[in-house]
Amino acid sequence: MNKFSSKVGVILSAVGSAVGMANVWGFPYKFQEGGLIFLIAYVLFIGLFSHVGLVSEFAIGRMTRSGALGAYDYSFKKAGKNSTIGKYIGYIPMLALFAISVGYSIIVAYVLKALIDSVTGLLFNVDPGVWFDGFSMEPYSVMLLHFIVIVIAILTCFGGASTIEKSNKIMMPAFFILFVILAIRIATLDNAGAGYRYMFRLDMDKLNLNTIVAAMGQAFFSLSITGSTLVVFGAYISKDMDIVDSSKKTGMLDTTAALIASCVMIPALTVFGMDQVGGPGLLFVALPTIFQNIRLGRIFSVILYLAVILAGISSLQSMFEAVTGSLILRFPKLSRKKTLISLALIAFLLGVNMETIDRFGRYMDIVSIYIIPIGASIGAFTWFYILGKDELLGEVNIGSTEKIGNSWHKVGKYIYVPLAIILTLLALIFKISF
């Protein structure tokens, strides 16, 4: 079986899966809203979810060597539970990943459009709001870019763990370097300090349930804990690798990416007296407006969108790999390249008619509110309530310098799983999108 060749490759591939739009436009918006209270809660939840959630998904993947579909089947059979449920329940988190890849590829196509227009200078000769409306509200306006994004993503998956590792060893360091350059440039702007003070303010009024839930949801889904992706990546990890330490470093780097992005977004908005904004409005209207009004703004615009492209492609790569890996590990006769090409065509054909922001926005809300949380909860429940404790602990401790025991499993069973289910219920009942 194709495997990751190094611990660095494992960590950077997991970080590539985790770092994406949630870090770039989701975290900064929630951080500027909740301040230091949000950040403290977020760090605590990241610590919990990376130490329990990431570790358990890596472990079950490495244990079964069978991807998402086989991992659930194995867990139910091993526990003597309903084998029919185990055989088919893994399709829910797997298909949830594919569903989100359909909409996510459109977002990355928007970013590619912004990158190209920054390079050519077009973005600096128009009103950003008019520019954004011009393609985000026009059907098929990014169709070619949409296709290119999907092709690039699947090309990085053709060699399995090998090409995923190699591509992330380039994309992830480049992402961090480019965002650090941006953060340094923003720090030189007059009154940038006010943005930092606002970010790290201690506002006790924000010590409320809304802030805590926002931090919990952001931490959980930012780490790409979906009951599918990291299970497949776990299947590519060798037995001598320390998955406990790798999971901790993944959580740390994911948080670092979000903080660096915030050090770009929040001070920039503060300097120019712009309202708090997240999502597409931040990336495609507010930031272009700022870059139009700073020295060498065009260069820094290119740097921004190139960095976001790298994050977007790496996330999209992990989505396609989660589905492809699960299918070919479960059905060995399937061809990797043919499976990837088929998935790419389906994703493109489904997404091409949703390229306007109103259509894919509604679609992504449905997927992120109803489907992804359910898949994540199914995974958490299966690893800690269906699979035997001793078997899970045994796999986690293989290759780990920090041995874990019953207390870790209790945290997973009585804290991690209930929190995952709570997030799912909040999404389903109150229509909260994390």
Side-chain angles (χ1 to χ4, degrees):
M1 178 187 290
N2 200 338
K3 296 180 182 179
F4 292 122
S5 65
S6 66
K7 183 177 176 180
V8 171
V10 172
I11 294 170
L12 290 178
S13 297
V15 171
S17 174
V19 172
M21 298 305 162
N23 302 77
V24 174
W25 73 31
F27 182 92
Y29 178 75
K30 294 172 185 176
F31 188 12
Q32 63 184 335
E33 174 66 24
L36 199 55
I37 298 295
F38 169 84
L39 180 61
I40 292 171
Y42 178 84
V43 170
L44 291 174
F45 284 121
I46 279 286
L48 170 65
F49 295 146
S50 61
H51 186 56
V52 181
L54 288 185
V55 169
S56 60
E57 296 214 343
F58 276 149
I60 188 67
R62 189 174 66 176
M63 179 194 302
T64 62
R65 301 289 190 199
S66 56
L69 298 180
Y72 290 95
D73 192 17
Y74 174 91
S75 298
F76 274 78
K77 284 182 178 177
K78 196 71 174 178
K81 304 293 184 182
N82 191 309
S83 60
T84 302
I85 294 177
K87 187 176 181 179
Y88 294 106
I89 199 169
Y91 282 96
I92 296 175
M94 186 192 77
L95 292 176
L97 257 294
F98 181 70
I100 203 166
S101 74
V102 172
Y104 200 89
S105 61
I106 300 172
I107 299 173
V108 183
Y110 278 22
V111 180
L112 182 56
K113 164 72 173 172
L115 174 61
I116 293 171
D117 289 353
S118 296
V119 171
T120 63
L122 174 63
L123 182 53
F124 287 77
N125 295 307
V126 294
D127 176 88
V130 174
W131 166 80
F132 182 55
D133 288 346
F135 68 86
S136 66
M137 295 186 177
E138 183 68 30
Y140 311 113
S141 62
V142 294
M143 182 169 64
L144 177 60
L145 301 179
H146 183 186
F147 182 77
I148 291 172
V149 162
I150 291 177
V151 169
I152 293 172
I154 66 165
L155 285 176
T156 65
C157 297
F158 268 6
S162 175
T163 52
I164 290 170
E165 180 176 1
K166 289 176 181 177
S167 61
N168 279 295
K169 282 183 175 179
I170 297 171
M171 291 192 294
M172 284 300 97
F175 168 86
F176 281 98
I177 291 169
L178 292 172
F179 254 100
V180 167
I181 293 171
L182 287 170
I184 292 171
R185 177 65 183 99
I186 295 300
T188 64
L189 298 177
D190 293 337
N191 203 35
Y196 302 129
R197 290 190 294 273
Y198 183 72
M199 257 197 310
F200 293 103
R201 74 194 185 282
L202 182 60
D203 183 354
M204 297 309 295
D205 288 340
K206 297 300 180 180
L207 185 57
N208 55 51
L209 186 60
N210 288 337
T211 303
I212 302 303
V213 168
M216 181 167 63
Q218 182 72 25
F220 190 88
F221 294 106
S222 177
L223 286 173
S224 198
I225 301 174
T226 61
S228 180
T229 306
L230 299 174
V231 176
V232 172
F233 280 12
Y236 304 151
I237 297 176
S238 64
K239 290 288 188 180
D240 60 349
M241 284 192 191
D242 189 336
I243 59 176
V244 175
D245 186 63
S246 297
S247 298
K248 288 181 179 179
K249 286 183 170 61
T250 298
M252 289 171 57
L253 287 172
D254 182 62
T255 302
T256 301
L259 286 171
I260 295 174
S262 296
C263 287
V264 173
M265 310 299 180
I266 300 174
L269 293 174
T270 303
V271 167
F272 287 89
M274 303 179 76
D275 293 335
Q276 295 180 19
V277 61
L282 172 62
L283 197 57
F284 300 114
V285 180
L287 289 177
T289 301
I290 291 168
F291 286 130
Q292 285 180 351
N293 290 280
I294 65 173
R295 187 169 177 270
L296 301 179
R298 182 172 166 186
I299 293 174
F300 289 101
S301 182
V302 171
I303 291 173
L304 170 72
Y305 292 117
L306 178 58
V308 178
I309 279 286
L310 294 173
I313 291 293
S314 65
S315 293
L316 195 58
Q317 169 198 74
S318 70
M319 296 172 195
F320 281 120
E321 182 58 27
V323 181
T324 303
S326 293
L327 289 172
I328 65 175
L329 288 170
R330 181 64 179 270
F331 306 106
K333 291 185 179 180
L334 289 176
S335 161
R336 166 174 282 275
K337 290 186 178 180
K338 288 181 180 179
T339 302
L340 276 168
I341 292 171
S342 298
L343 291 173
L345 287 173
I346 295 170
F348 178 71
L349 292 174
L350 289 175
V352 74
N353 293 307
M354 295 191 295
E355 290 179 347
T356 57
I357 193 165
D358 57 335
R359 290 183 179 178
F360 93 77
R362 288 195 298 268
Y363 171 81
M364 289 295 279
D365 283 344
I366 292 171
V367 174
S368 61
I369 290 173
Y370 296 106
I371 304 177
I372 290 292
I374 293 174
S377 292
I378 289 173
F381 184 85
T382 301
W383 317 145
F384 286 96
Y385 280 86
I386 303 298
L387 184 65
K389 178 185 68 175
D390 292 340
E391 193 162 9
L392 180 58
L393 287 174
E395 183 64 37
V396 170
N397 284 321
I398 294 175
S400 296
T401 55
E402 177 189 344
K403 302 302 180 182
I404 60 176
N406 291 335
S407 59
W408 177 87
H409 194 270
K410 287 179 179 178
V411 169
K413 190 170 186 177
Y414 300 116
I415 298 179
Y416 168 65
V417 175
L419 289 179
I421 294 173
I422 287 171
L423 286 171
T424 300
L425 293 175
L426 287 172
L428 296 174
I429 296 171
F430 297 103
K431 310 295 188 291
I432 298 174
S433 177
F434 297 106

